[in-house]
């Protein structure tokens, strides 16, 4: 059986480090860091993520605000909210929850985000800096994955890393991070048009899966002793359970765990790392202003 990579425990360690630093700031009479979330409409996953961020901000001593706009909000109202956040000195950083309502242009929104408050690396300048390996706020989920790899001492230099998924928020930025000097993986990215994906996956020392397909990746995609990082998260019906559902990832955990060397579970793997890295970005944005 594979080693289970305990993302929850590692994220708790990061949050404890952050809380200690915040306490030090408050003891000096300084204000707490402040993270804001913008959300429009009633998407259940986005709303519960916003609630979870608020709770975790409180846990580390941050202030937080949620700007919950209606799903019918106009583009100009949405952009005014971004303007307000850009100009409020007491808000150190913010994220914008996807999906946006269809009347709001994602390109206009990302261009409007102040790069210094862009906690999820939405602004094209920040994405460009990420590509160039320059300092920027790393996007929370890819940041969480590389932090998990780093804190678990998983060897990446010269290793073959296959990433499944090329979205702008997970797969693409993650491929850039795994390529950076210091991480030094040899990276292949697959997507829905990739041919022979199973064969490519079987060459991976590190297989990172972010395709949004519940339990699609079975043991025959995985090389013996590989490290498997599952970014996917799904709620699937389970009428036999009191809640009526269970959570799972893009990887068929029970089967793959018998073959690989190490694996992240869902829940308890990459999910909690995302929020911890968001908090880390906010603390860093705050400290830049001291
Ligand atoms: P997207 O739907 O934006 O992107 C999915 C990617 O996977 C696309 O590049 C798509 O290819 C590719 N893909 C889809 N089906 C297949 C397939 N059968 N074979 C190969 N490639 C495929 O998803 P996200 O990147 O936003 O999210 C991915 C997963 O991660 C989801 O389950 C999501 O819930 C989860 N997630 C978890 C987070 C966390 O904090 N742990 C945060 C964000 C997301 P193509 O480009 O060709 O369409």
């Amino acid at each position: 059986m594979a080693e289970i990579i305990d993302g929850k425990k590692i994220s708790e360690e990061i949050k404890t480090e952050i809380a200690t630093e915040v306490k030090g700031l408050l003891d000096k009479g300084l204000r707490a860091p402040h993270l804001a979330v913008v959300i429009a409409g009633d998407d259940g996953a986005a709303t519960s993520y916003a609630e979870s961020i608020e709770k975790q901000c409180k846990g580390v001593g941050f202030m937080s605000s949620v700007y919950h706009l209606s799903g019918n909000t106009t583009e100009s109202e949405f952009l005014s909210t971004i303007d307000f956040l850009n100009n409020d000195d007491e808000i150190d950083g913010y994220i914008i929850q996807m999906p946006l309502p269809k009347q709001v242009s994602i390109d206009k929104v990302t261009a409007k985000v102040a790069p210094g408050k862009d906690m999820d690396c939405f602004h094209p300048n920040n994405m460009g800096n990420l590509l160039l390996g320059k300092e920027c706020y790393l996007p929370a989920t890819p940041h969480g994955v590389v932090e998990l790899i780093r804190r678990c001492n998983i060897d990446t230099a010269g290793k073959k890393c296959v990433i499944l998924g090329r979205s702008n928020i997970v797969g693409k930025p993650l491929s850039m991070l795994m390529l950076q000097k210091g991480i030094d993986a040899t990276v292949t990215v697959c997507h829905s048009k990739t041919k022979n994906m199973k064969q490519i996956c079987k060459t991976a020392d590190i297989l990172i899966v972010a395709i949004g397909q519940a339990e699609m990746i079975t043991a025959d995609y995985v090389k013996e002793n590989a490290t498997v990082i599952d970014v996917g998260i799904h709620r699937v019906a389970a009428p036999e359970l009191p809640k009526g559902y269970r959570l799972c990832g893009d990887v068929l955990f029970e089967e793959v765990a018998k073959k690989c060397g190490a694996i992240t579970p869902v829940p308890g793997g990459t999910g909690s790392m995302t929020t911890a890295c968001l908090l880390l970005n906010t603390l860093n944005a705050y400290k830049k202003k001291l």
Side-chain angles (χ1 to χ4, degrees), residues 98 120-122 127 139-143 166-174:
M98 296 295 138
D120 221 356
C121 197
F122 273 13
M127 202 46 115
T141 301
H143 187 184
R166 59 174 167 182
S167 72
N168 287 341
I169 62 160
V170 187
K172 246 185 247 172
L174 193 48

Side-chain angles (χ1 to χ4, degrees), residues 49 140-141 164-171 190-194 197 209-214 216-217 221 230-234 248-250 269-275:
Y49 184 48
T141 301
L164 304 188
R166 59 174 167 182
S167 72
N168 287 341
I169 62 160
V170 187
C190 299
H191 47 78
S192 67
K193 305 290 184 296
T194 298
M197 195 167 89
V209 190
I211 50 177
Q213 305 288 336
M216 185 185 127
I217 301 305
Y221 282 80
D230 190 353
V231 181
I233 180 144
H234 308 271
C248 71
D250 289 343
T270 59
S272 41
M273 290 297 291
T274 295
T275 329

Side-chain angles (χ1 to χ4, degrees), residues 56-183:
Q56 299 196 47
C57 280
K58 202 169 169 199
V60 296
F62 280 14
M63 290 182 289
S64 65
S65 308
V66 176
Y67 292 81
H68 201 152
L69 310 176
S70 132
N72 297 322
T73 189
T74 62
E75 186 175 82
S76 115
E77 278 166 344
F78 199 98
L79 294 172
S80 300
T81 305
I82 305 294
D83 250 341
F84 167 78
L85 295 171
N86 288 344
N87 291 310
D88 187 332
D89 284 342
E90 302 234 318
I91 290 177
D92 301 297
Y94 60 89
I95 63 161
I96 299 162
Q97 281 289 89
M98 296 295 138
L100 295 181
K102 57 181 182 316
Q103 66 278 16
V104 179
S105 150
I106 188 160
D107 290 341
K108 285 189 191 163
V109 168
T110 51
K112 189 101 182 157
V113 174
K117 292 193 173 189
D118 180 17
M119 298 297 95
D120 221 356
C121 197
F122 273 13
H123 193 280
N125 285 6
N126 283 337
M127 202 46 115
N129 283 335
L130 174 71
L131 174 68
L132 296 171
K134 293 190 173 167
E135 197 191 327
C136 65
Y137 296 114
L138 300 179
T141 301
H143 187 184
V145 170
V146 292
E147 196 60 24
L148 199 56
I149 288 174
R150 193 177 71 76
R151 289 187 181 235
C152 291
N153 295 317
I154 293 163
D155 192 11
T156 51
K159 298 292 177 188
K160 175 108 201 254
C161 173
V162 175
I163 297 173
L164 304 188
R166 59 174 167 182
S167 72
N168 287 341
I169 62 160
V170 187
K172 246 185 247 172
L174 193 48
S175 69
M176 292 301 123
L177 289 176
M178 293 304 289
L179 261 185
Q180 302 291 10
K181 280 202 190 292
I183 297 186

Side-chain angles (χ1 to χ4, degrees), residues 260-283:
C260 67
I263 186 167
T264 57
V266 178
T270 59
S272 41
M273 290 297 291
T274 295
T275 329
C277 288
L278 200 53
L279 300 176
L280 213 46
N281 278 353
T282 308
L283 180 61

